[in-house]
Each structure stands twice: as structure tokens, then as C-alpha cells.
Amino acid sequence: MLLWVAVIFGQQDTLQLQIETDSLAVTPVSPSAITTTVTYNAQGYIYRDIVNKKVVLVTEAKVDYGNIEITADSILIDMNANTLYAVGRKDTSGTVKGSPVFKEGEQEIAADSLLYNFKSKRAIASNIVTKQDQGLLRSKVTKLLEDGTSNIAKSTYSTCDAPVPHFYINLPRAKVYPGEKIVSGPGNLVLEGIPLPLFLPFAYFPIQTKSAASGILIPRIGQEAQRGYSLTDGGYYFAINNYFDLTVRGNIYTNGTWMGTATTNYRKLYKYSGNFSFSYANNVSGHKGLPDFSESSNYKIGWTYNQDPKAAPGSRFSASVNMSSAGFDRNNSYVVSEHVTTQRQSSISYSKSWAGTPFNFSTSMNHTQDIRQHTVSLNLPKANFNMNRIYPLKKRNSAGAAKWYEDVQFSYSASLDNRIKTTDSLLFTPAIWKNMDNGFQHRAPLSLQIRPFRNFSITPSITYEGVLFSKKYDYRFVNRFTNPETGQVMSAIIRDTISGLSYGHALTTNINMSFNPQIYGLFEFTNPASRVQSIRHVIKPSVSFSYDPALRGLSSKMYRQVQYDTLGNYRNLSIYENMIYGTPSVAERSGSISLSLVNLVEAKVFERNDTTGKPKKVKIIDNLGITTSYNVFADSMRWAPISMQARTTIANSINISATSSFSLYGYDHNGRTVSDFAIKRNGKLMRMTNFNTSLDMSVSDLLKGNKAGNRTSVTPNALTGGAQTNAPTDGSDLSQRNNGTGITDPYGYTVFNVPWTMNLSYNISYMNTGISSRIDQTMTLSGNVSVTKKMSMNYATGYDFKGKEITMTQIGISRDLHCWEMSFNWVPNGTMKMWNFTIRVKASVLGDLKYERRKDFHDIY
């Protein structure tokens, strides 16, 4: 026997080994021979045993076989057995380098050792770690099959990426379908190395790396004192396609309460995105057959639609719907804000503008709901068509100064509205149509603005206006009318409703004059040591007069002379009184003078220890204004209430605003305003009818700003514990220092430097009706504190000064436990008095692996 042995050192060129029978040989091809080219190389050396048909690759060995790539420190190829064996190598420190890596397509596996069969395309690997979606699969023995799947033994699955997992599911035997799923036999949970008596008869782990998949949503088991045992949030998830999905969930309680919810999310790139949800609940309380038993049905609808601006330039569709019955939040919601907020608003709108033209169109359906009052207001629908202001007489290519008539302006607008006011209990019943008001209005004003001198303008205009309603009113005076509610007999005006389309129109004229000057005052400080350089006061007075003559014959007959007392006195009443768009013309001439005064005060201030020489502009008073008006042709009480507004910002963190209203007229013993002035009736120049002030401030920004202003900057060496040069010894420098255990001041005390926020809001309102007054005061406080990098707390509370009680308070604590998260939420008072404690795995693939305890707010009813 002749033995051939070849050793090649430092081989770096790729060699090809064709494992097949020579075409000139007489020996037939072995059925076990492989015909695919095997390419291999190594950075160390290649050892070939020709007789035994073996090849040894040492140091950075690599083998390519079709779409399979195997790398390792050392590889042995046995051509007789058609196998490959790959291992790593320990260095002097015991660290293994060059561990085998098996790649096939997108699948990649790292192992301590690997045995691969070229013919069967199967492999056996030991101690591998593979990433499967959000989890890590660690296996002692893995058998890779030719179809890409794997049989594993003595394995663990965990979403914890720590070298020693904080938890894992022990899987003695399992099968892996890469990118699809992991299916295993019996297993158990191990927490911090301690096997728990939580055994699984089988396990199924979906692995979705490319798209979502339909599946069952495991319900949560619970128990309440009032509603009994429960299964909640269970259902099914439908992955319909890449654009939208559907989730169906349900809650059921042993006392008969149940709720179903359907939610869908949709999104198409560069087109639209949004979601829709509908919930229906049947709430049962008490015990059937006893007086405390009650049953009610509630609903909630939510819808959002957001159109991508690039989808359809010039047009836009959007939707934001949030409506529910009055009892839904009280019985079924666990969101604190939904219990506190009493208003619900919804809008579905579409708008269209035509480029290069002044025309635009918009339509919407709107919903406003007051949960406390059980009232609902709807616009079904509301539409507007507008032509923006144009100058029909202006020349396109005019040269020189424009003629006066070229400033003539023309515009057009048309509106359609259908309003419904009802209660939430009648919302989906035919009764809502009884409370419906609708109408159509269009206006075409033609105006000219004349400016004789600066800040003064005169604007005469003529406007055609028409309205269309589905009803009108007729009036009659009854000398002896019996009130059906009180039985009292009195004289009254009876209003009869006449159904049918009714159109009214008018051509009205108006002249408006306004004078809006601005007065500036500047005070400069001459003291060079003063931080304030100057203070500027801006006064903006405004006087305007508007006059509308009643030109008879230019409008249809829309007013009726109606007797209103037994003395034979008459007044004009409109057949469209209190309708959506009112009456196009006035019954009599009208004119008013409007007065307003706005004050702005700001200063230029140098920063403390300023070195730039440039002052900073600071607003002292953002707005201090007063407004009123005088009706020239009114019979009495010509002065409108005087309104005052004030707004300012202090230290960039405190916002203060106030509004008030004063009446110049007195009141009688019933609190009704009379035509006598207040100084004559009550001895006062005017009386306050309401006052409101609010203060909003960020306490955290305010305190942090002061702290930052008084603290010397910290050098990098101080924060890292390095040496500092020129360090004072008298304790005058208040710089932070690091003693190796934390940041401290020069005296050795730890510096409190925890990230935190705190927002304070205070509101006080006063209302005076003449015979009674009311004061409401509320204060709210909210914010969060990051106790550590992995632990934070948020809070929200308040105080009602009138009720002398703390408003609903919410405290939440969360803790990051690496692969787990812990949360505790507590509402200690109010109608939602409850708490819940949860520890859960972060990864959604193991979302049902959690521990939860709660005290439900339903148990305090």
C-alpha cells in the first residue's frame, strides 16, 4: 500500500475538490457519491490524506457547499463518509475562538461543534444559540434537517438576552420551523434558576419575522365582588392582509355582565392610516329578583382617519370620532381621564380647493356630547362653498398708481347646515328628527376700502343675502292663555310653526369706519449698573362705527307686527326667529360704536453676569385689554358689558391670565337687569358679573432654572473623579464633585439630581347674578419622577376648594426589570378607587406570561 500525505502551510488560495468518479474510469459511480462542488480554504494550513480521503483545515477554515457556508477554527472533511466536522479552539485563557457557524440562506446558527452530512444534508450541532423573532433559543443538541427545520433537545427559550437568562422555558424536546414557529412537548418555567411548578403540556411559539398572523387571544381570569368571576380581553386576531387587520375581544362575568369590542387598524403607505373600534356592553348590577337589580346597555364608537398629504393634493379627508353613551365610561372604562372629562367631540370632514382659482369647498359631520347633562348636538351635515375675495375691476398689467375703483372687492359664500339637539338616550331613535333645524344661506358682499389717512379706513358695502328654511313661524296674541305646565292664566304670544320651504332674501347696505392708531412710550434707565436697559409701553386704542340702514322694499317680507301686551303695544318679530342663519335684514336701522384698548409692556434686560453686552427682550404684560360697545339706536341699555382681559408670563414658567365682565346697569329684586344704571340703582359705577383667572406653571422648570443659574458648571474631571487644578480650600466654590460613589458638593453632601417634572394649575371663577354669587376654585398637580434609570413614578391630583376635597388622584410606578417590567397603578379616591399590580414579560410573543393582582373600582359601587 502506498500512502500519500500532503501538508500545505499558510494556504490562502481557494482549492476545489470534485468528489466524483473519473469519467475515464471503468468503476461505476457510487450511489453515495456527491456531485456538488465543495470549495474550501484556510488561513493556517491544509492537511490532505489522499489514501483515507480526509482533509483537515486549521485556522479560519471555510467551506462552501451550494448555498451552505460553514466557518470554524478547525474543520475535518471525511470524503468516504461524506461528512464534515467543525470545532473551535480554546486559547490560553480558556476562551473558545472560531466556534462553528452554519449559514443556509437566511438561517444562521452558531454552535460549539458541528457535524454535517453532505449527502443527507443534515447536521448535528451542540450548544447552539439562535435568535427566533423576539426570543433566544438555546439548545444542547440540535439536528438540522434537509428541509430547513430542526429537531432540538435539552433546550430553553427566553426573551431575556442576558448571558445567564433571568427566566426561561425549559423545552426537553421541540421542533423549530425557522421564521414560522416553535412547537414543543411538555415544559416548565424556570425563574432565576429555580424551576417553578408551572408545567405546560405543550407549547407553541409563533415566530413572525415578516408579517402578522391570525391567532387566539388568551383571556384574563379575574374576580370581582360585585360582578363575580370573569374572563376578559379574550378573543381572536385576524391578520387579513398587509393593509388592515381585525381584533375581536370579549368580556364576560358570572353576574350576567358582558361586553364585546371590535377594533381594526388600517394603513396604506402614502395613502392613509387610522383605526376604528366599536364596543357594546350589557351591564348588570345587583341581584335578579331584588330591588337593587338593574340592567343597562352602553356603547362606544371610536374612529380616526388620517390622509397622507401626498395622496391627493388639493383635497383632504379626515375623521376623529369619539362618542359613547353616558354610562359606558362609568361602567366599563379604566382610563381616569375618561371618567373626569365630561365632553366628547367628533368630526368627519372633507375639503377641496381648486388650484389657480379662488374657490374652495368643505363639508363635515360634527358631534358634541355632554356626558354629565346627557345632551348631544349633531351637524348632519354641514357644508360650505366659498369664493375668496377678488378684485373684479383691477387691471392685470396696470402701470403706475391704481385707481380707486380697482380696490372694489367681491366674494361669495354659501352654507348648508342640519342641526340636531337631543339626549343620548334618543340618539339612535326616530325621535331625533323632531328636534332638527336646517337651513341654507348664501351671501355675496361687494365692498370698497378707502384709507383717507394712516390708521383710518372707511368701508362701504352692499350685500345680497338669502336664506332657505324648511319652516317658518307665525304669531298671534292671546289675551287669556293657560300655561299647561303651571295652570297660570296670562296674556302671551303664541308661535305657530308652518312647515314647508320658505325663502327670504334682502339687499342690505353697510358703512364701517375704524381708527386704529398705535402709541409708543419708552423709558430708558441711565444707571449703567442697572440690569434693566429700557421699558417700552405700547397702547393700541381702536374705535369703530358700523351703520346698517333699514331700506324697505329691498327685501322680502320677513317681519310681522305682533301685539305683545294688553295695552295694545306692538313689536316686530321675524318669521325666522332663532333659526340657524337668522334673518337676512334688520327690522329697523342699527348702528354701533365699538371701543377697545390694548396695552403691551416689555423690557430689555441684561442676563445676570452677562458678558455679551446684548440685552434680552422680556414681556412684562402680554396683553391688558378692555372692550365694550354702544348701540346707537337701541331703546334702552345701549351699553354692552365691559370686558377686560389680562395675560402675562413670569420667569418663562408661570402663565397668568384673567378675564372679567362688568355691567353698567343695575338689577331688580329678581336679579334681572334693568335699564337704570348701576350707580343710580345700587350706588356703584358698574357691577362685576363674572371673573375668571388661571395660573399655570411648571414648578420643575422654575426650580431647575434657578438652580442652574446659581451653580458653577461641572468640569469633566470632576464628574469622572479625576484630579482638579486650582481647587479652592475655603469652601467658596459650590461646584459638584464626585467622591467615587456619587456626585457631591464641596461639603460631602450628595447632590439631588433626579430628573423630575411638576406642573401646577390653579383656577378661580366668580359669578354674580345680582341676587346670588358663586365662587369655584380648583387646583391640579401633575408630573413624574425618575427615581432611578429604570424606575419612574407619575402622579396627578388636585383639590376642589368649594367641595373641600381632594379630586381624583392617580399614582403610577413602573420598574424596568431588564426582560420583565413591573407596574403599579393606584387611584386612592373618587369614583375610580382601585389599584392594580402587574409583572409581565416585555416581549409580546410571551405577553401572556405575567402576574397580575387588582382591586377593581366596580367593587365600591
Side-chain angles (χ1 to χ4, degrees):
M1 178 182 294
L2 184 61
L3 179 64
W4 290 84
V5 177
V7 179
I8 302 177
F9 294 93
Q11 177 67 46
Q12 300 206 15
D13 296 332
T14 300
L15 301 177
Q16 290 189 355
L17 174 65
Q18 188 76 14
I19 307 178
E20 61 181 358
T21 306
D22 191 343
S23 60
L24 298 178
V26 180
T27 306
V29 178
S30 171
S32 62
I34 59 176
T35 58
T36 304
T37 301
V38 178
T39 304
Y40 59 87
N41 60 40
Q43 296 297 319
Y45 64 87
I46 299 176
Y47 177 90
R48 295 188 181 89
D49 185 344
I50 304 301
V51 174
N52 296 314
K53 295 185 179 180
K54 294 181 179 179
V55 178
V56 179
L57 312 176
V58 180
T59 307
E60 297 185 24
K62 179 180 179 181
V63 173
D64 290 321
Y65 178 67
N67 66 336
I68 296 175
E69 177 185 294
I70 301 173
T71 59
D73 179 83
S74 303
I75 297 177
L76 171 64
I77 302 175
D78 188 341
M79 291 174 284
N80 285 323
N82 291 330
T83 60
L84 176 150
Y85 180 72
V87 294
R89 180 170 51 176
K90 289 184 178 180
D91 58 14
T92 55
S93 64
T95 303
V96 177
K97 294 185 177 181
S99 297
V101 177
F102 177 89
K103 295 181 182 180
E104 182 176 11
E106 298 181 356
Q107 184 181 11
E108 180 175 332
I109 295 176
D112 287 352
S113 63
L114 177 70
L115 178 63
Y116 180 77
N117 190 297
F118 291 101
K119 188 63 180 178
S120 63
K121 296 184 180 180
R122 297 184 177 185
I124 297 178
S126 62
N127 298 327
I128 70 168
V129 179
T130 60
K131 184 172 181 60
Q132 303 290 343
D133 194 8
Q134 303 176 57
L136 294 174
L137 184 64
R138 298 172 173 87
S139 306
K140 291 290 184 181
V141 180
T142 301
K143 186 175 183 180
L144 306 177
L145 305 180
E146 65 276 9
D147 59 357
T149 62
S150 304
N151 291 333
I152 57 177
K154 300 179 181 180
S155 305
T156 64
Y157 180 79
S158 175
T159 57
C160 180
D161 58 359
V164 179
H166 298 130
F167 81 97
Y168 59 85
I169 299 176
N170 186 34
L171 305 175
R173 294 183 180 179
K175 189 175 184 67
V176 180
Y177 297 83
E180 297 182 14
K181 57 190 173 182
I182 300 175
V183 182
S184 75
N188 68 295
L189 179 65
V190 179
L191 182 63
E192 292 292 352
I194 302 175
L196 300 181
L198 180 58
F199 288 90
L200 304 174
F202 66 92
Y204 175 87
F205 304 97
I207 301 171
Q208 297 298 323
T209 58
K210 295 183 179 180
S211 60
S214 303
I216 298 174
L217 302 174
I218 306 299
R220 182 177 63 207
I221 302 175
Q223 188 268 337
E224 297 176 12
Q226 294 293 328
R227 299 192 292 186
Y229 293 97
S230 63
L231 292 175
T232 58
D233 294 332
Y236 198 86
Y237 174 79
F238 298 89
I240 299 176
N241 56 37
N242 293 332
Y243 302 111
F244 72 99
D245 60 6
L246 174 65
T247 303
V248 179
R249 294 180 182 270
N251 301 344
I252 185 170
Y253 299 83
T254 53
N255 79 328
T257 298
W258 60 269
M259 184 177 73
T261 301
T263 304
T264 179
N265 297 281
Y266 51 88
R267 178 181 180 86
K268 191 171 184 180
L269 196 61
Y270 306 120
K271 292 292 185 179
Y272 54 79
S273 64
N275 60 75
F276 176 83
S277 64
F278 175 76
S279 299
Y280 186 85
N282 183 69
N283 300 292
V284 177
S285 62
H287 302 82
K288 195 170 185 178
L290 297 180
D292 64 344
F293 178 80
S294 65
E295 186 174 6
S296 62
S297 298
N298 305 117
Y299 67 89
K300 182 174 183 179
I301 300 173
W303 180 32
T304 62
Y305 183 96
N306 300 302
Q307 178 181 301
D308 192 291
K310 301 176 183 178
S315 64
R316 180 169 180 80
F317 177 80
S318 64
S320 176
V321 176
N322 179 20
M323 60 186 303
S324 63
S325 56
F328 183 89
D329 296 329
R330 183 178 66 252
N331 292 308
N332 306 103
S333 176
Y334 289 89
V335 181
V336 174
S337 61
E338 293 181 349
H339 285 253
V340 176
T341 305
T342 61
Q343 299 292 325
R344 297 283 186 273
Q345 292 183 342
S346 305
S347 177
I348 304 173
S349 62
Y350 171 79
S351 62
K352 172 70 176 178
S353 61
W354 288 268
T357 70
F359 303 106
N360 61 81
F361 171 79
S362 64
T363 182
S364 64
M365 291 187 291
N366 306 305
H367 153 264
T368 303
Q369 182 178 5
D370 190 316
I371 301 297
R372 183 175 298 174
Q373 300 297 330
H374 298 255
T375 58
V376 178
S377 298
L378 302 172
N379 294 100
L380 298 174
K382 182 178 182 180
N384 294 281
F385 176 80
N386 297 293
M387 183 186 74
N388 297 330
R389 182 175 54 191
I390 62 173
Y391 297 87
L393 303 180
K394 179 171 286 188
K395 298 178 181 179
R396 292 187 177 182
N397 300 314
S398 61
K403 304 296 183 180
W404 65 270
Y405 56 81
E406 293 187 46
D407 292 329
V408 172
Q409 307 170 10
F410 177 74
S411 61
Y412 176 80
S413 64
S415 302
L416 174 70
D417 200 353
N418 187 59
R419 298 179 185 174
I420 298 174
K421 291 185 178 181
T422 184
T423 61
D424 55 3
S425 60
L426 301 176
L427 186 57
F428 295 105
T429 65
I432 65 171
W433 307 114
K434 297 180 180 180
N435 301 316
M436 180 177 63
D437 289 324
N438 47 39
F440 170 80
Q441 178 198 53
H442 62 147
R443 301 179 74 253
L446 184 69
S447 63
L448 173 65
Q449 190 175 60
I450 304 171
R451 295 183 179 272
F453 52 87
R454 186 178 180 184
N455 300 323
F456 180 74
S457 64
I458 303 174
T459 308
S461 65
I462 181 170
T463 303
Y464 174 81
E465 181 178 353
V467 293
L468 178 67
F469 298 110
S470 60
K471 61 184 178 181
K472 63 180 180 180
Y473 298 128
D474 196 11
Y475 305 92
R476 53 192 173 90
F477 177 76
V478 178
N479 191 22
R480 294 182 58 82
F481 174 76
T482 303
N483 191 321
E485 295 182 358
T486 63
Q488 185 179 2
V489 178
M490 65 182 75
S491 59
I493 297 176
I494 305 301
R495 187 176 71 181
D496 299 320
T497 302
I498 302 175
S499 300
L501 293 178
S502 176
Y503 183 78
H505 65 97
L507 190 65
T508 60
T509 59
N510 170 270
I511 183 169
N512 183 277
M513 294 180 290
S514 63
F515 180 56
N516 304 286
Q518 292 191 17
I519 304 171
Y520 297 89
L522 182 66
F523 180 81
E524 295 185 348
F525 292 81
T526 58
N527 185 0
S530 175
R531 288 183 56 204
V532 182
Q533 184 187 57
S534 61
I535 295 178
R536 188 177 73 159
H537 182 198
V538 182
I539 304 175
K540 298 180 178 181
S542 176
V543 180
S544 64
F545 172 72
S546 179
Y547 174 65
D548 295 310
L551 302 178
R552 304 188 184 279
L554 298 180
S555 63
S556 56
K557 295 181 179 181
M558 294 174 286
Y559 289 91
R560 303 288 186 265
Q561 284 280 331
V562 182
Q563 181 181 347
Y564 66 90
D565 60 14
T566 56
L567 300 177
N569 295 315
Y570 285 81
R571 68 173 57 161
N572 286 316
L573 293 179
S574 171
I575 62 176
Y576 303 131
E577 190 77 19
N578 298 324
M579 290 193 182
I580 292 179
Y581 297 111
T583 309
S585 65
V586 293
E588 300 175 352
R589 62 179 180 174
S590 66
S592 63
I593 300 174
S594 299
L595 306 171
S596 69
L597 182 66
V598 177
N599 295 269
L600 304 174
V601 181
E602 57 187 12
K604 287 187 176 182
V605 181
F606 291 100
E607 294 282 357
R608 191 182 301 273
N609 301 324
D610 177 73
T611 59
T612 63
K614 296 181 179 180
K616 180 181 179 181
K617 185 182 293 184
V618 177
K619 291 184 177 181
I620 300 176
I621 299 178
D622 291 347
N623 179 23
L624 176 60
I626 179 172
T627 59
T628 188
S629 64
Y630 179 79
N631 192 333
V632 178
F633 302 108
D635 295 334
S636 60
M637 293 187 291
R638 295 179 177 180
W639 285 100
I642 299 175
S643 299
M644 299 183 66
Q645 309 88 30
R647 184 178 67 251
T648 186
T649 302
I650 302 175
N652 295 325
S653 301
I654 304 175
N655 299 313
I656 302 175
S657 63
T659 60
S660 60
S661 181
F662 300 86
S663 176
L664 294 174
Y665 300 97
Y667 54 88
D668 60 15
H669 62 280
N670 293 321
R672 293 176 297 188
T673 303
V674 296
S675 58
D676 295 335
F677 284 105
I679 193 170
K680 178 181 178 181
R681 174 74 63 143
N682 309 109
K684 297 180 181 180
L685 179 62
M686 54 186 176
R687 59 185 178 90
M688 180 183 291
T689 56
N690 61 73
F691 173 79
N692 182 277
T693 183
S694 62
L695 181 147
D696 297 285
M697 61 182 299
S698 174
V699 179
S700 53
D701 289 347
L702 184 64
L703 296 180
K704 290 176 184 178
N706 291 338
K707 186 182 295 184
N710 296 330
R711 182 185 299 164
T712 308
S713 60
V714 183
T715 63
N717 285 336
L719 293 175
T720 56
Q724 288 184 327
T725 59
N726 302 323
T729 58
D730 59 357
S732 60
D733 184 10
L734 297 182
S735 302
Q736 298 174 351
R737 306 188 185 187
N738 194 328
N739 61 4
T741 60
I743 300 177
T744 61
D745 61 16
Y747 306 102
Y749 294 101
T750 301
V751 174
F752 182 79
N753 192 23
V754 175
W756 63 284
T757 62
M758 179 182 290
N759 300 307
L760 174 68
S761 177
Y762 172 77
N763 183 275
I764 179 172
S765 62
Y766 167 79
M767 181 174 292
N768 185 0
T769 62
I771 58 175
S772 64
S773 61
R774 174 179 175 178
I775 298 178
D776 293 323
Q777 292 185 76
T778 58
M779 181 184 69
T780 59
L781 191 69
S782 63
N784 61 74
V785 179
S786 297
V787 183
T788 66
K789 291 183 178 179
K790 295 186 177 182
M791 185 175 180
S792 63
M793 181 183 73
N794 61 77
Y795 57 90
T797 186
Y799 186 77
D800 184 353
F801 291 88
K802 183 179 180 180
K804 296 182 179 180
E805 62 180 1
I806 298 175
T807 57
M808 188 179 297
T809 301
Q810 182 179 16
I811 300 173
I813 301 175
S814 61
R815 169 75 177 177
D816 186 350
L817 302 173
H818 188 250
C819 49
W820 294 71
E821 60 183 359
M822 178 188 72
S823 64
F824 175 74
N825 293 285
W826 181 33
V827 180
N829 63 338
T831 57
M832 280 193 68
K833 190 175 181 180
M834 65 175 217
W835 61 266
N836 64 74
F837 174 79
T838 305
I839 297 180
R840 68 173 71 231
V841 176
K842 286 183 180 179
S844 60
V845 69
L846 295 178
D848 295 319
L849 187 57
K850 61 184 177 181
Y851 173 78
E852 185 174 18
R853 293 292 303 273
R854 69 164 55 204
K855 174 70 173 179
D856 199 275
F857 71 89
H858 291 91
D859 293 341
I860 66 170
Y861 276 3

